[in-house]
Amino acid sequence: MRRSLFAVLFLALPLAAKQPLVVVSVDGLDNRYLMNADQLGLKIPTLRKLMREGQFSTGVIGVVPTVTWPSHTAMITGVDPVKHGILSNWRPPGDRYLDYPQIKVPTLIGAAHNAGITIAAVNWPVSVNAPVDWDLPEFFEKRRGASMETRAIESKSKPADLVTRISADYPSFPQEWMDDRTRTLAVLWLLHHEKPQLTFLHLVELDSEEHDNAPFSRESKAILERIDELIGQIVAALPPDAAISIVSDHGFERVDKIVNVKTAVPDAVQAGGIVLATDEKTAAALRELKKDPRYGIGREIPKEEFAKFPSNLNQNPSVVFESVEGVMFGNTKDGELTAKPAEIGNHGHWPMRYRSVYVLWGSGVPHETLPEFSIKDIAGKFAKVIGITF
């Protein structure tokens, strides 16, 4: 039976999203910024409005490792890094996880694309060659803090003239370094001119400031207040029927020193905020070392808790500890027990140590306080908003 002309034309048209959605990831936005905004004296009227009127979670639990690219990819795949394949921000000995085809499992982006939903991405991690309609991917040869080379990003953009087109309306856009201001300009331009049904934006300056000056510092709070202004501009530009979600990839902590546990226990495995033993002899040595505060060994992570966070670490360790506050584990330059950290703020701690953020606001979104959930649940929540199965 031949299809009608109407059916053929209908199938050729893009599927309209149930609700247009803009996703803004604020890198390093620890949930305590929102939950303790009054105590911190934060002037973040836009974020307060979105929380007051929309949905927000009391906390989002991360994956191992709690770093940017693995966490963002978990957010759009719903699986752990050991399964989706983006294991770190950098591929040893230095190649970057930048290309979307490196992701080993289906993604929300792919599902939306296959459904005919139009998609834009601005500096979204692991988005080079992603199946999106407008792309300014996170790509760089050089960085200056949170800023990345505009020309390098332009070399991977889709369409190839996207920077030129945005610059025609925003003459300051093609500055040397793409920062949170110009990332936001790109989204504003896309919302006005192209009207994507699903938009991903990655804002990076808070994370950079926290590395330099520690989370919850005067400087970091000032950056978040500036980001709140940028989010306000996006909210003002939203179509009447759209929704916006504010998310983040990981929490953040102050780091006062690096402790090299291997100086005393050479067979220990150090991984940022955790140290583990793969045999009982090493486990016994770590338990003894825990008694000495110089080594910064904190809570023993129960085996059942460790099993909930699959990773490329040994999955049957004899014992796992997280660090005490202010300490991360790692090698030191000359093999000393302790060293001054290169950055006084960091992440990469055990996921239960801190929480990231989920807020959803827009047309038809009821005010609701959600319980804690995994960052892996976010892909399903977004799929529901835009009306696809994932």
Side-chain angles (χ1 to χ4, degrees), residues 37-100:
D38 288 340
Q39 297 93 310
L40 293 168
L42 284 166
K43 299 177 180 64
I44 48 172
T46 302
L47 288 168
R48 288 177 184 267
K49 170 186 170 69
L50 303 187
M51 292 174 65
R52 184 175 63 250
E53 298 178 2
Q55 292 180 354
F56 74 92
S57 170
T58 55
V60 175
I61 301 167
V63 289
V64 176
T66 52
V67 296
T68 298
W69 280 317
S71 298
H72 277 85
T73 309
M75 202 184 298
I76 63 165
T77 60
V79 301
D80 293 283
V82 70
K83 188 171 182 179
H84 65 54
I86 307 302
L87 300 177
S88 70
N89 290 353
W90 303 95
R91 177 187 288 175
D95 294 338
R96 285 152 285 181
Y97 286 106
L98 293 169
D99 293 304
Y100 177 88

Side-chain angles (χ1 to χ4, degrees), residues 135-152:
D135 195 10
L136 293 170
E138 185 155 300
F139 177 78
F140 53 87
E141 298 300 333
K142 297 180 292 183
R143 288 184 63 165
R144 188 174 68 180
S147 300
M148 305 168 194
E149 309 159 274
T150 300
R151 287 189 182 274

Side-chain angles (χ1 to χ4, degrees), residues 46 50 74 114 169 175 202 210-211 228 302 313 319 328 330 333:
T46 302
L50 303 187
N114 291 339
D169 289 312
Q175 62 187 37
H202 181 211
E210 291 173 310
H211 280 296
D228 186 83
L313 296 170
V319 70
M328 291 191 82
K333 184 178 178 181

